[in-house]
């Protein structure tokens, strides 16, 4: 499954790896890293990815894409809980 954060950044989940494609790089987080997601509001809303090991990554997202992003995040959370 996938959902765009912006016109240039895409979040994907294949059941084992969450990936963010865009800008000039790619970020990958495996289910075993136990990623969690926080969606901030405000003038520049951000998706914050936190890993069980303490790592963190922050990406801007468009407000009108929040529902799709939350659906992908919920599926990741479900798979992490079952792992």
């Amino acid at each position: 499954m996938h959902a765009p954060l912006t016109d240039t950044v895409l979040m994907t989940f294949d059941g084992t790896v969450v990936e963010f494609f865009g800008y000039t790089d790619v970020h990958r987080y495996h289910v075993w890293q136990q990623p969690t997601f926080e969606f901030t509001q405000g003038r520049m809303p951000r998706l914050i990815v936190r890993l069980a090991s303490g790592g963190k990554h922050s990406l801007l997202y468009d407000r009108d894409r929040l529902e799709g992003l939350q659906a992908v995040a919920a599926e990741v959370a479900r798979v992490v809980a079952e792992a």
Side-chain angles (χ1 to χ4, degrees):
M1 66 188 314
H2 65 275
L5 279 81
T6 66
D7 288 339
T8 59
V9 179
L10 180 68
M11 175 184 188
T12 69
F13 181 58
D14 68 0
T16 59
V17 178
V18 180
E19 295 179 291
F20 295 90
F21 298 94
Y23 305 117
T24 60
D25 56 359
V26 175
H27 297 278
R28 291 180 181 88
Y29 304 106
H30 295 259
V31 167
W32 65 265
Q33 292 175 290
Q34 300 176 328
T36 59
F37 304 94
E38 175 188 347
F39 296 93
T40 69
Q41 301 297 317
R43 190 173 61 85
M44 297 180 70
R46 292 187 172 274
L47 164 57
I48 300 171
V49 183
R50 296 181 195 276
L51 305 177
S53 64
K56 181 172 97 168
H57 190 99
S58 176
L59 303 110
L60 294 172
Y61 71 89
D62 294 333
R63 283 183 188 86
D64 61 332
R65 300 173 194 252
L66 180 59
E67 187 175 325
L69 295 169
Q70 288 175 324
V72 175
E75 179 62 12
V76 174
R78 184 189 70 74
V79 171
V80 167
E82 291 177 355

